């Protein structure tokens, strides 16, 4: 590591030091409360859980970068990169269902965790992201799952 970078890191840590004690306690408490009272599935949605007719009522946020969004995305999605979700939180309603996704679910899970800590209880992460959504049939994933279950029970 070069000396300039090391010096910059040290200076930044000194600037942040006065904020650490109280702010970290409050933040840690909020995270602890969230993690203790949240069920695993309460913030995750599978594509097959959403009927095709419900998708138009959901705000879909693609948390990938603009180039990935431009190349391919769920139709109707809004692009807010995962790093910008907290800064742009005022664009995200609290009274409408919100689904966020990335390619596989890992970056959107971080953004979703931050939003949930800030009180957006209506935000869900699309399990397996865009890759899983496509593999399971996109907007038709719910219907495909119903048909597969019916076939299995008929056998």
């Amino acid at each position: 590591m070069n000396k300039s970078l090391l010096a910059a890191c040290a200076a930044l840590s000194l600037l942040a030091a006065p904020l650490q004690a109280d702010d970290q306690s409050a933040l840690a408490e909020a995270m602890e409360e969230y993690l203790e009272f949240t069920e695993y599935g309460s913030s995750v949605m599978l594509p097959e859980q959403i009927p095709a007719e419900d998708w138009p009522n959901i705000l879909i946020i693609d948390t990938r970068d603009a180039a990935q969004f431009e190349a391919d995305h769920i139709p109707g999605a809004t692009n807010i990169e995962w790093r910008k979700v907290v800064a742009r939180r005022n664009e995200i309603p609290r009274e409408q269902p919100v689904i966020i996704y990335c390619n596989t679910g890992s970056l959107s899970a971080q953004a979703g965790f931050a939003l949930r800590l800030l009180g957006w209880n209506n935000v869900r992460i699309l399990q397996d992201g865009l890759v899983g959504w496509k593999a399971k049939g996109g907007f038709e994933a719910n219907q495909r799952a119903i048909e597969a279950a019916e076939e299995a029970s008929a056998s």
Side-chain angles (χ1 to χ4, degrees):
M1 180 180 269
N2 73 35
K3 289 181 182 180
S4 299
L5 182 58
L6 188 57
C9 289
L12 285 174
S13 68
L14 289 175
L15 289 173
L19 300 174
Q20 289 181 356
D22 291 337
D23 291 347
Q24 282 191 354
S25 298
L27 180 59
E29 186 176 314
M31 283 194 262
E32 186 178 326
E33 287 177 19
Y34 173 79
L35 292 171
E36 284 182 9
F37 294 102
T38 299
E39 295 177 29
Y40 172 72
S42 69
S43 61
V44 176
M45 291 291 291
L46 299 168
E48 55 269 34
Q49 291 176 293
I50 308 166
E53 61 272 12
D54 288 354
W55 282 96
N57 303 320
I58 299 169
L59 174 63
I60 307 164
I61 299 175
D62 184 319
T63 61
R64 301 171 307 144
D65 65 42
Q68 290 176 313
F69 179 79
E70 189 64 33
D72 191 19
H73 60 270
I74 294 175
T78 298
N79 184 223
I80 303 176
E81 188 178 347
W82 72 277
R83 291 180 182 100
K84 304 291 184 190
V85 166
V86 171
R88 293 179 57 188
R89 67 188 175 276
N90 292 332
E91 298 173 37
I92 302 170
R94 292 178 186 256
E95 58 288 325
Q96 175 185 4
V98 176
I99 299 228
I100 62 176
Y101 73 93
C102 58
N103 283 318
T104 61
S106 60
L107 295 178
S108 56
Q110 292 179 50
F113 179 69
L115 288 169
R116 298 282 299 240
L117 281 175
L118 291 169
W120 270 260
N121 296 321
N122 57 322
V123 173
R124 303 290 181 269
I125 291 86
L126 186 62
Q127 182 78 31
D128 300 325
L130 182 63
V131 172
W133 181 80
K134 286 178 164 185
K136 292 180 178 181
F139 294 127
E140 299 304 318
N142 176 262
Q143 187 59 42
R144 285 185 179 186
I146 291 170
E147 290 168 3
E150 288 172 351
E151 287 177 19
S153 67
S155 307

